[in-house]
Amino acid sequence: MAQDRLRILILGSAAGGGLPQWNCGCRNCVKARRGEIPSRSQSSIAVSADGETWAVVNASPDIRAQLTASPALHPSGPRASPIRGVLLTNGDIDHVAGLLTLREQQRFSLYHTSEIGAVLRDNRIFDALNPELVQRRTIVLGEQVEIAPGVTAEMFAVPGKVPLFMEEGEVQTNLEGEQTVGVRLDAGGASAFYIPGCARMTGALAERLRGAELVLFDGTLWQNDEMIRTGVGRKTGTRMGHMTMQGPDGSLRAFADLGVTRKVYIHINNTNPVLDPETPERRAVEDAGWIVAEDGMELTP
Ligand code: MLT
Ligand code: MN
Ligand code: ZN
């Protein structure tokens, strides 16, 4: 084995829709189209211990372009992808639609909770993944599973909701179970947490993250009514199942005393002012010790 050290590659740092989003003319989307701020693809990371074999966590609709842009993930020969596993943290479109791009007769294992597995099973389009090659593995919360050689993953519940396309009636946005999970990744004695969606900080989650070396965390919105303020929608962060950065219940305050060595915002919505390096909001998160992720960024705890 070449090394044995946890490597995390940010494949996509944006929330669903990406930056720019196809139908959006908000300030950030306009700037991204002009090349004034970096464009970002949708939510995904790749992880490795040996630098040669990898697992992808969340398969975004942009996965084809993300893999093309990442030399470490290129095939080494005909039908020889270095990707050994794919793990899902929820059933949202930005995290599962990329599975359809991975349908081309490649062997890998797919890891998910039983609830997220049911979302795939109930949507027959995912049968395009040949079961002789793509082994679906239902993982119990708290179980340790090797998703790529030398990389162990453990899923844990975080507050969230069912996927947008499964919402019915009164939507519960604070469910804690198997529909939204965070994942702890371990390799070569180093560890990191990846939590792209989280509706609120709970006491249990705070204790889990306390003193961590590296946390990649839900950076969807700066403030709760941001989509309304920017004129792109009517939903609040609370309704979408995402805690905000700012405010008394925001992630800036929630992490202030957790002693996390490196804090990285990922899954950032295109309306979020922190995407623009010129804004006071960006300065505020950097002053609080946060890194705003960009596509292609590599992190080692
Ligand atoms: C989210 O993170 O809230 C979802 O990705 C929204 C969506 O499915 O578009
Ligand atoms: Mn999302
Ligand atoms: Zn926009």
Side-chain angles (χ1 to χ4, degrees):
M1 206 175 273
Q3 323 164 251
D4 186 22
R5 181 159 175 230
L6 183 59
R7 286 173 66 181
I8 298 180
L9 182 58
I10 310 271
L11 297 180
S13 52
L19 173 73
Q21 178 175 310
W22 72 282
N23 62 343
C24 192
C26 79
R27 197 184 141 84
N28 284 336
C29 286
V30 169
K31 282 195 161 193
R33 280 189 198 94
R34 289 194 191 129
E36 293 169 8
I37 60 174
S39 289
R40 285 171 162 86
S41 64
Q42 295 169 83
S43 182
S44 177
I45 62 171
V47 297
S48 180
D50 59 15
E52 284 162 16
T53 52
W54 294 78
V56 169
V57 188
N58 291 324
S60 107
D62 298 320
I63 193 165
R64 183 179 162 279
Q66 290 168 340
L67 299 183
T68 301
S70 311
L73 299 173
H74 291 176
S76 55
R79 298 293 186 274
S81 166
I83 296 170
R84 298 288 183 271
V86 177
L87 181 144
L88 306 174
T89 66
N90 65 20
D92 280 346
I93 288 173
D94 58 345
H95 289 161
V96 304
L99 290 173
L100 301 176
T101 296
L102 304 181
R103 70 189 178 282
E104 281 132 350
Q105 305 302 314
Q106 181 67 46
R107 185 175 297 280
F108 65 90
S109 297
L110 180 56
Y111 305 94
H112 48 62
T113 64
S114 78
E115 276 209 37
I116 299 170
V119 174
L120 304 181
R121 202 181 53 235
D122 293 344
N123 287 275
R124 285 206 51 204
I125 194 167
F126 293 105
D127 293 351
L129 294 171
N130 181 350
E132 283 174 20
L133 297 172
V134 179
Q135 193 196 6
R136 295 191 192 186
R137 298 201 37 200
T138 300
I139 305 304
V140 177
L141 300 181
E143 182 180 344
Q144 309 261 334
V145 57
E146 192 176 34
I147 57 172
V151 182
T152 306
E154 178 192 339
M155 299 194 232
F156 50 89
V158 296
K161 63 169 184 63
V162 297
L164 182 60
F165 59 89
M166 290 173 66
E167 289 184 1
E168 287 179 318
E170 183 82 9
V171 176
Q172 281 198 272
T173 55
N174 218 351
L175 298 171
E176 269 184 86
E178 291 202 338
Q179 61 293 311
T180 307
V181 301
V183 55
R184 178 186 162 124
L185 300 157
D186 279 89
S191 63
F193 290 89
Y194 173 61
I195 308 170
C198 183
R200 76 189 160 89
M201 182 61 75
T202 63
L205 182 57
E207 286 325 304
R208 191 186 285 279
L209 301 180
R210 189 176 297 282
E213 295 164 88
L214 174 61
V215 177
L216 283 67
F217 196 76
D218 185 342
T220 308
L221 300 175
W222 167 254
Q223 57 192 342
N224 202 33
D225 60 355
E226 179 175 312
M227 310 266 289
I228 302 160
R229 280 173 189 252
T230 48
V232 304
R234 276 181 292 180
K235 278 188 193 166
T236 60
T238 309
R239 174 62 184 78
M240 292 193 295
H242 293 291
M243 67 193 279
T244 58
M245 296 177 174
Q246 173 265 16
D249 300 321
S251 50
L252 287 172
R253 178 163 301 180
F255 276 82
D257 302 317
L258 289 185
V260 173
T261 308
R262 262 194 307 165
K263 302 172 286 191
V264 181
Y265 278 128
I266 37 89
H267 191 279
I268 309 163
N269 197 56
N270 56 72
T271 51
N272 193 323
V274 308
L275 289 169
D276 185 340
E278 306 291 315
T279 59
E281 291 87 352
R282 172 67 161 262
R283 269 194 300 284
V285 301
E286 288 180 348
D287 287 349
W290 286 84
I291 295 167
V292 176
E294 286 187 23
D295 293 13
M297 197 177 252
E298 188 169 327
L299 300 158
T300 47

